[in-house]
Amino acid sequence: MCLSVPGKVVEKKGLAADVDVGGTIRKISLKFVPEAKVGEYVLVHTGFAMQIVDEEEANEMMKLLKELTDGPVS
Amino acid sequence: MKDDRILLAHGSGGAVSHSLISDFFLKIFTDPTLKRLDDSAVLELGSDRVAFTTDSYVVKPLFFPGGDIGRLAVCGTVNDLAMSGAEPRFISVGFVIEEGLEVSELEKILKSMAGACEEAGVPVVTGDTKVVDRGSADQIFINTAGVGYIKDGVDISGSNVKDGDAILLSGSIGDHGVAVMSKREGLAFGTPVISDCAPLNGMVKAVLDSGADVHAFRDPTRGGLASTLNEFAEQSGVAITIDESKVPISEGVLGACEMLGLDPYQVANEGKLVAAVAGKDADRALEAIRANKYGKDARIIGTAKQTDRPKVFVSTAIGTTRILDMLSGEQLPRIC
Amino acid sequence: MVRFLSEYRDKDLAQGILKRIEKISKKPANFMEVCGTHTVAISKNGIRHALPENVQLISGPGCPVCVTANVDIDKMLAVLSLPDVIVTTFGDMMKVPGSYSSLSKERAKGADVRVVYSTLDAIEIAKNNPEKKVVFFGVGFETTTPTIAESIIEAKEQNVKNYSILGAHKVVPPAMKALLDLGEVDLHGFLCPGHVSMVIGSKPYEFIARDYHIPCVIAGFEPLDILESIYMLIKQIEDGRSEVEVQYKRAVKPDGNPVAVGVMNQVFEPADADWRGIGVIPGSGLKIRDEYADFDAARLFPDIEVPPTREHKGCRCGDVLRGLIFPYECALFGKVCTPTEPVGPCMVSSEGSCAAYYRYDDRVKA
């Protein structure tokens, strides 16, 4: 119902920003996440950043999955 | 076909286009050669066999990263001839130009065509030009037709794919489609991706000269890799299974397709080919493709199997299986 | 390698989770994926057939295009009869049939219909065509609606007078409640929509776990996200728990994105909405507040003549949307109704469940 892709903020001017999704650069609005900083990843939907990607949670997930799949079958 | 008007989807190269062809054209034009629906018609002239093809080019914008309508018009027809195993020899060109097109634009296009002709070694030998009043065409449309010579013993067709054939792909997919879409109004986005528009007759010649037992070639243009593989499956009555992890997709194409909700397997290419080769000669054919400057990234991506239920399957990157279906209509960016 | 995307397509981890699911899953597990994007991701990654027999994934009313009632599509097509109108919309709306036609068919007859990626592009078109009326067809759930609301705010600020929205906006939780109250489907869990929840957070689903005792897991859209979420749902069933858990933690906070919710509520207020296959669900839609009436196409063009609604004979999209039947259980599926010649919206929309089953899952139930 809502495709949203992670893009890296590569340039920011006020609420306007350029994000990079695997080399594709697009102008988007930071209206909904004004605090997003250059270098951070945001989830982009129809030209707007809807949320800032929580990198810690992302790393935590991968750690959990490795434990889940390596460890004995609980 | 239910539609009572022609829709953009009828030109997409996908299933809706195929229904227009089968429900109308093949009912009205009944020649058996036409019915084979190969990239070129293979004709007998005396003891020689000749490949004959035609194609029209209406790309917008006229100039895009990595190419333009002129280079496209030459490469497209040269490639269609090559995909029938022919050596392209001559092409014709027909222009339909809208009143008001700047002459400098026309000149740029002609020079680009000449460059592609020289690279492919195929001269323009005849042509025609029409000018229509403003609004009756969109700047310029180009049709090219071509003739090629088929050596004895060469029997290449989309209906020749055999049980046990290896499926080869000459490089990354989706580059042309993404490069053109990135310039389209309402979608504009910056991308490092450039069109792969290139003549492939040299590559085909190298594969044939290598002695590999090749059964089919096709360039996956409109409708992308998915359409070509489904056409092979349909025409040859085989099930094709490809390994997703072997299909090269550049990060730029992946990023753009993720952003627009498109499937790279259905995005157009203009300088790639798919080959069906007897399993024992797969490596030899692969080597010949990789020796060509447009084939550096070539891979063996899958195999074909005899079946009574022709279909294309993908073994996914996560080890499961799914169908790879043909694009149905017009390719539109999705939000959901 | 696209960061935060490609790493969630790892084969070993995916196969590892599947083995773990195989190991612990005993009880029957019918899970509904509410979101159409999940439906596509599940089919496109071949997940449906990789799960044990007792685990079934059922598609819900999750594609905003499919749930748009015929009457709303007919209203949108009627706008095309206005003089000097440019209709802008997302690509998803182009092919969906109303009672008599579709946007792509009307465009073929000469209507000025343009696909845009963002409402901001639609405003640009309005600015570049001051003499035209630019109407944006707004469909979507809570992920998309804030962006449509923001376009109205910006149009008002920039005094763009020829831009308006004709919308059929919907919100998810009331529809999930309506499905549960219908009680037609034996559900053991919900795979909740990740990107709607990115905006509204996890709290709006708590009534489902609390009052209906059905586990909810808010899932991301990559294969590992979906597989981990299915594992979490199964763990809840086997442990006898029913809670709202967030799997998609890198994007979903308990309170979602209050700024986005604020913008949505600034422009829209709750209203009843007509869902294809379910009917009118109280408070499940959004309508433009009086303050922004100048941008509400329904009020700007009240006297557009809308033909009587006509449903497609034999089309069971309504039953598919309620999870009553699988797409291949509809008599038209794959025969009379295919992506090339679709009958209902679930086959037309690139995110409809029938299209997903037809395009990715083997057409005959494996």
Side-chain angles (χ1 to χ4, degrees), chain A residues 1-2 45 50 54 68 73, chain C residues 20 23 37 141 143 195 257:
Chain A
M1 116 177 43
C2 333
H45 175 65
M50 304 305 293
D54 185 328
L68 175 69
V73 179
Chain C
R20 199 49 52 95
K23 189 73 190 165
T37 311
F141 293 117
T143 318
H195 288 140
N257 182 334

Side-chain angles (χ1 to χ4, degrees), chain C residues 70 81 110 161 238 255 322:
Chain C
N70 263 355
S81 60
K161 288 233 177 319
E238 299 298 336
D255 297 328
R322 294 203 310 277

Side-chain angles (χ1 to χ4, degrees), chain C residues 259-330:
Chain C
V259 175
V261 172
V263 167
M264 181 164 67
N265 293 336
Q266 177 184 336
V267 173
F268 291 103
E269 58 188 341
D272 298 349
D274 185 349
W275 294 61
R276 181 186 300 271
I278 305 174
V280 176
I281 303 175
S284 68
L286 292 169
K287 69 177 171 43
I288 295 175
R289 291 181 187 274
D290 296 343
E291 189 195 339
Y292 295 96
D294 299 346
F295 301 92
D296 182 353
R299 286 188 253 201
L300 290 172
F301 319 114
D303 45 19
I304 312 171
E305 210 231 331
V306 183
T309 308
R310 195 180 60 166
E311 294 304 331
H312 305 279
K313 253 192 343 346
C315 168
R316 297 187 63 190
C317 278
D319 297 339
V320 172
L321 284 166
R322 294 203 310 277
L324 214 57
I325 58 168
F326 286 104
Y328 48 79
E329 289 172 314
C330 167

Side-chain angles (χ1 to χ4, degrees), chain B residues 251 309 318 320 322 336, chain C residues 1 15 44-45 351 362:
Chain B
E251 194 182 78
R309 209 171 133 241
I318 62 165
T320 59
R322 71 164 168 108
C336 23
Chain C
M1 218 301 270
Q15 291 299 323
K44 198 172 180 179
N45 288 291
E351 220 192 54
D362 209 339

Side-chain angles (χ1 to χ4, degrees), chain B residues 8 13 57 90 97 102-105 111 178-179 213 276 316 329 332:
Chain B
L8 278 177
Y57 301 85
F90 312 103
I97 303 176
E102 287 167 27
V103 173
S104 60
E105 293 269 287
K111 284 198 170 122
V178 166
D213 181 9
T316 70
L332 295 164

